[in-house]
Amino acid sequence: MNFKRTILAAVGIALAGSAGLANAETWRFGLEETKGSVQYQYAEDFKKLIEKKSDGDITVQLLPYGKWGSTYSALYDAVQNGAIQIGFGSGALGGTVPESQLMSLNFVMPSDQLKTVKVLNSKAFLESKPWQQAFRKRGLVPLAELTEGYQVWTANKAIRTPADMKNLHIRVMDNSLLRATYRAYGAAPVSIAYGELYSALQQGQAEGNIQPVFAHENMGFYEVQDYMIFADQSQFIATLMGSQDWWKGLSDDQKKMVKSVTDQLVKTGYDIQTQFNKERLNTIKDKSDIKIIHLNDEQRDQFRKLAKPVRKTFVDQTGEQGKAALNILLKQFGEQPMDGGNS
């Protein structure tokens, strides 16, 4: 009798265990960047919080750059079709969600980087109809915005004015708005895969580059460039997005959990990028003799005047929905909306 009870108890435990496994979920999280990046550290924190808050019912599997393919479009496609549940999208996302190129506009975000990330994650912008619809009609849901620090130029010559950028083959992400911006500056923008960029700079296929400081250091780009130029023209911003089918399949409690985690990570993400960019700049200075240039207000204004008309290019490309999203940001940052209209 005792033997039978032991067997029954064991079967019960096994069944309970299998039921637990059946209820367990794995969320695959695709990153545009490698280990050691701002995205990766943010994703690690997201993973820890989700797994803790779900009591282990959800496992988050991190897939850094290269684990899902080598082109960003492959990552975005995988999130759209649900093969990857969550992923980051930044500059190259414009080919999938044209309105996302809003994040690539120069001289829109304020110099206060903490204010920027708070506004981008505010209900007024992140949960606005124009921003949500832009993603949802492509099978995606924007969940959060991650700022990764100022985009910094590197080149093999000093750049202080647009004249210095004339015909410069500067690498930009595959984004029509970025190409329009740098053509407005007088450069000759080129698009090169992230994994091929170091050798392209080394061999002269690209003469300049645009990255946050941590990426310049993490990928060693500074080793094959002579100058690093801080123009404070734009911040690198990545949208955390989910597959719309995956999102619809979540329970209300799970959606609330994701929202709670992303809200908690707004300040955490800012702290990560601040620390990473400060430390990596010191590393670059210690390991190289690269020359650092900071543009003054007069020099920045020359680029600002050339960049402002590109806002109209963005609106022409994205229509009323893009303009409405842009106007929400301009209003939040105290600027005049496009066409004097309301958002």
Side-chain angles (χ1 to χ4, degrees):
M1 191 69 177
N2 289 340
F3 177 74
K4 288 182 179 179
R5 286 178 180 170
T6 302
I7 292 294
L8 289 171
V11 170
I13 291 170
L15 288 172
S18 63
L21 289 172
N23 291 329
E25 298 179 43
T26 297
W27 295 355
R28 304 178 78 214
F29 191 156
L31 314 179
E32 298 175 308
E33 299 168 357
T34 60
K35 288 185 178 181
S37 67
V38 171
Q39 283 187 16
Y40 195 89
Q41 183 60 56
Y42 177 102
E44 281 199 320
D45 289 348
F46 179 91
K47 170 183 170 70
K48 289 174 185 175
L49 289 170
I50 290 292
E51 292 179 353
K52 182 179 179 180
K53 288 178 179 289
S54 69
D55 292 325
D57 288 340
I58 297 169
T59 298
V60 180
Q61 179 186 8
L62 304 187
L63 303 172
Y65 179 84
K67 293 293 185 181
W68 40 259
S70 59
T71 63
Y72 292 127
S73 60
L75 171 59
Y76 310 150
D77 289 347
V79 178
Q80 281 180 303
N81 65 36
I84 293 176
Q85 286 74 36
I86 311 168
F88 274 119
S90 56
L93 184 61
T96 302
V97 183
E99 294 88 345
S100 70
Q101 294 179 102
L102 170 57
M103 300 301 177
S104 298
L105 284 170
N106 283 198
F107 297 104
V108 169
M109 311 298 174
S111 57
D112 185 336
Q113 296 184 72
L114 183 55
K115 178 180 179 179
T116 296
V117 74
K118 286 182 176 179
V119 167
L120 292 177
N121 285 281
S122 67
K123 184 174 182 179
F125 177 74
L126 182 63
E127 298 181 29
S128 69
K129 187 175 179 181
W131 195 242
Q132 287 288 323
Q133 282 189 342
F135 285 79
R136 288 177 184 258
K137 68 184 181 182
R138 278 100 183 183
L140 301 165
V141 178
L143 304 173
E145 303 296 336
L146 173 66
T147 57
E148 301 190 46
Y150 276 115
Q151 293 272 44
V152 179
W153 302 331
T154 60
N156 290 325
K157 66 174 185 176
I159 295 174
R160 293 184 175 86
T161 69
D164 297 328
M165 200 176 272
K166 187 174 181 181
N167 296 325
L168 181 77
H169 286 78
I170 189 167
R171 184 266 184 179
V172 301
M173 297 184 80
D174 190 7
N175 175 313
S176 61
L177 202 71
L178 280 172
R179 287 192 287 271
T181 300
Y182 283 87
R183 281 196 292 266
Y185 293 157
V190 294
S191 295
I192 297 168
Y194 193 57
E196 300 170 7
L197 183 51
Y198 185 97
S199 60
L201 291 167
Q202 192 175 38
Q203 296 166 15
Q205 292 170 298
E207 301 168 311
N209 185 18
I210 312 163
Q211 304 286 342
V213 171
F214 79 87
H216 283 299
E217 190 277 331
N218 190 43
M219 298 298 287
F221 298 140
Y222 71 94
E223 298 170 352
V224 288
Q225 298 272 262
D226 296 330
Y227 292 87
M228 178 172 274
I229 303 100
F230 289 76
D232 293 357
Q233 80 288 354
S234 67
Q235 296 174 48
F236 186 85
I237 300 165
T239 299
L240 177 66
M241 55 193 183
S243 162
Q244 186 165 229
D245 288 341
W246 163 80
W247 182 251
K248 286 180 178 178
L250 297 184
S251 67
D252 288 343
D253 285 344
Q254 287 175 323
K255 289 177 180 177
K256 288 176 183 176
M257 177 181 65
V258 172
K259 176 63 176 169
S260 170
V261 167
T262 54
D263 283 348
Q264 185 174 337
L265 290 178
V266 170
K267 179 63 164 57
T268 300
Y270 167 79
D271 290 340
I272 291 169
Q273 70 92 353
T274 301
Q275 177 187 349
F276 274 38
N277 287 310
K278 181 179 179 180
E279 291 176 352
R280 305 300 173 83
L281 182 57
N282 288 334
T283 299
I284 289 172
K285 289 177 178 179
D286 290 342
K287 290 187 174 181
S288 75
D289 57 359
I290 196 166
K291 299 172 183 67
I292 308 292
I293 296 173
H294 289 271
L295 301 193
N296 60 35
D297 289 342
E298 182 180 346
Q299 292 166 336
R300 292 180 71 245
D301 282 344
Q302 293 182 51
F303 286 99
R304 186 195 303 273
K305 288 175 183 176
L306 295 172
K308 195 164 185 179
V310 181
R311 297 180 185 181
K312 184 178 184 303
T313 302
F314 169 75
V315 172
D316 290 343
Q317 290 180 355
T318 60
E320 288 301 315
Q321 187 161 268
K323 183 170 79 170
L326 171 58
N327 280 343
I328 290 171
L329 280 190
L330 292 176
K331 180 180 178 181
Q332 292 293 315
F333 295 138
E335 282 202 48
Q336 186 70 23
M338 294 290 293
D339 299 335
N342 297 317
S343 58

